Amino acid sequence: MIVSIKNEHLVVDFSTKGAELQRIMGTDSEVNYMWSGDAKFWGKFSPVLFPIVGAFKDNTYFYQGKSYHLSRHGFARDMEFSYEKLNTTEIAFKLRHNEETLKNYPFEFELTLKYRLQGASLQCAYQVSNPSNQPLLFSIGGHPAFAAPLHNEGVYTDYYLQFDNDDELTFHHIVDNLVLDETTTLKLSDKILPLKHELFYEDALVFKSLKSKHIRLLNNKNYNGLNFHFEGFPYFGIWAAKDANFVCLEPWCGIADGVNHNQQLADKEGMEKLQSGESWERSWEICCF
């Protein structure tokens, strides 16, 4: 089911499946800042990555002497969330553990995605709570895909990313969904990364040491673009499907297994840990113009 929030600047649509952000439309400009979801390239818009980010080696992990299987990015993106529309500009989606999730993820959890409009900005907040008397191990991340070009005019290479605090980008390579130790460094001119499809032919660019907290998506044809703000996410991904006209800006608390990982969940890089009764929150924000 599709539900919406709106104000004088933006109309925003979500699917209750995955609590997925699907459209951000300017009320005056009628610009949709989100990817179209064309299944020919990639049929999603902005999936939440939970309870893992990326993939386990062989889609398998071990916890307390037992083996479990989870596919890449976890199950939340494919599950139906309940929701509460708090007012015309704010909505909260909730997901809790059930018998099915416990089979391959032996943790009780409460996951809330809260979206809030303020002016021309949309905030997405992730809230995770541990209702059990055992520790909760999880990862979580965003995967929003932004259209490039934003209009029918122009082409992908008219667009670029501008970083607020990086003069060069050192990223890890992905092979068969796993992270290599090998890195490549891209030198930036004026903190700008020009977009070209070839950047993503080998999968996402994965960052473990990004300095920036703001990334702007801009173009050479018109004023329209966006500012993506994120804090408290130690990992970041930038990705697009092959030859597709979008770019994903992905703040992560968690990361795929390294190629040499031992598959023990307790040893997995980037996992968050909540004790009984504890809660956790992070957020990212899009400002559209």
Side-chain angles (χ1 to χ4, degrees):
M1 184 171 67
I2 301 300
V3 292
S4 303
I5 58 175
K6 63 181 180 179
N7 65 8
E8 66 272 22
H9 299 282
L10 299 171
V11 178
V12 184
D13 296 338
F14 310 91
S15 172
T16 54
K17 181 181 179 181
E20 187 178 21
L21 166 64
Q22 295 198 343
R23 186 180 72 139
I24 305 174
M25 181 73 75
T27 53
D28 293 329
S29 66
E30 295 189 349
V31 171
N32 180 13
Y33 293 85
M34 299 298 296
W35 160 242
S36 67
D38 185 349
K40 176 183 175 182
F41 297 96
W42 186 60
K44 294 186 179 294
F45 305 83
S46 181
V48 57
L49 315 182
F50 179 90
I52 60 168
V53 172
F56 289 118
K57 185 188 294 186
D58 300 324
N59 292 325
T60 301
Y61 68 96
F62 299 90
Y63 183 68
Q64 295 184 343
K66 296 182 180 180
S67 65
Y68 300 91
H69 303 278
L70 271 183
S71 59
R72 191 183 192 193
H73 296 324
F75 50 71
R77 59 183 179 164
D78 296 316
M79 295 187 69
E80 192 73 16
F81 282 63
S82 63
Y83 76 94
E84 179 183 3
K85 196 167 181 180
L86 305 176
N87 50 59
T88 58
T89 62
E90 192 170 7
I91 192 167
F93 295 90
K94 293 185 181 294
L95 182 70
R96 294 180 174 86
H97 64 277
N98 59 37
E99 290 183 3
E100 287 301 309
T101 67
L102 289 170
K103 289 178 181 177
N104 283 307
Y105 180 64
F107 301 94
E108 297 181 10
F109 67 88
E110 294 180 357
L111 170 63
T112 301
L113 270 66
K114 185 178 288 187
Y115 296 95
R116 179 170 62 92
L117 276 174
Q118 186 170 9
S121 295
L122 175 70
Q123 182 190 70
C124 173
Y126 301 131
Q127 300 170 346
V128 182
S129 298
N130 181 3
S132 77
N133 58 7
Q134 301 295 325
L136 167 59
L137 299 178
F138 71 95
S139 292
I140 193 167
H143 204 310
F146 301 108
L150 291 170
H151 301 271
N152 292 328
E153 63 182 46
V155 295
Y156 196 68
T157 51
D158 293 330
Y159 283 72
Y160 58 93
L161 300 176
Q162 186 173 58
F163 297 79
D164 71 322
N165 201 27
D166 287 279
D167 295 307
E168 62 182 26
L169 299 175
T170 298
F171 65 91
H172 288 259
H173 294 264
I174 298 285
V175 173
D176 296 329
N177 297 329
L178 303 179
V179 180
L180 297 181
D181 292 333
E182 175 190 358
T183 61
T184 294
T185 298
L186 299 174
K187 301 290 186 181
L188 303 183
S189 176
D190 296 324
K191 298 181 172 63
I192 286 173
L193 176 67
L195 289 183
K196 54 183 180 179
H197 292 303
E198 294 83 355
L199 273 173
F200 311 110
Y201 278 2
E202 296 182 4
D203 213 319
L205 313 183
V206 174
F207 303 94
K208 295 186 179 184
S209 57
L210 198 66
K211 299 175 183 177
S212 294
K213 303 302 178 189
H214 296 267
I215 300 175
R216 304 183 82 200
L217 175 61
L218 303 169
N219 72 89
N220 299 314
K221 295 297 184 182
N222 55 60
Y223 173 75
N224 293 119
L226 59 88
N227 182 43
F228 190 77
H229 174 71
F230 54 98
E231 287 192 51
F233 295 89
Y235 307 98
F236 201 88
I238 303 177
W239 176 78
K242 187 175 181 180
D243 294 329
N245 287 334
F246 69 82
V247 61
C248 287
L249 303 179
E250 307 180 37
W252 300 335
C253 287
I255 194 169
D257 276 354
V259 292
N260 297 313
H261 189 250
N262 63 14
Q263 296 177 271
Q264 296 292 330
L265 188 67
D267 299 333
K268 183 172 173 59
E269 181 179 358
M271 295 298 290
E272 300 287 338
K273 186 174 184 178
L274 285 180
Q275 298 300 329
S276 177
E278 290 184 340
S279 295
W280 177 100
E281 182 171 341
R282 295 290 187 279
S283 64
W284 46 263
E285 187 172 0
I286 309 160
C287 180
C288 302
F289 49 85

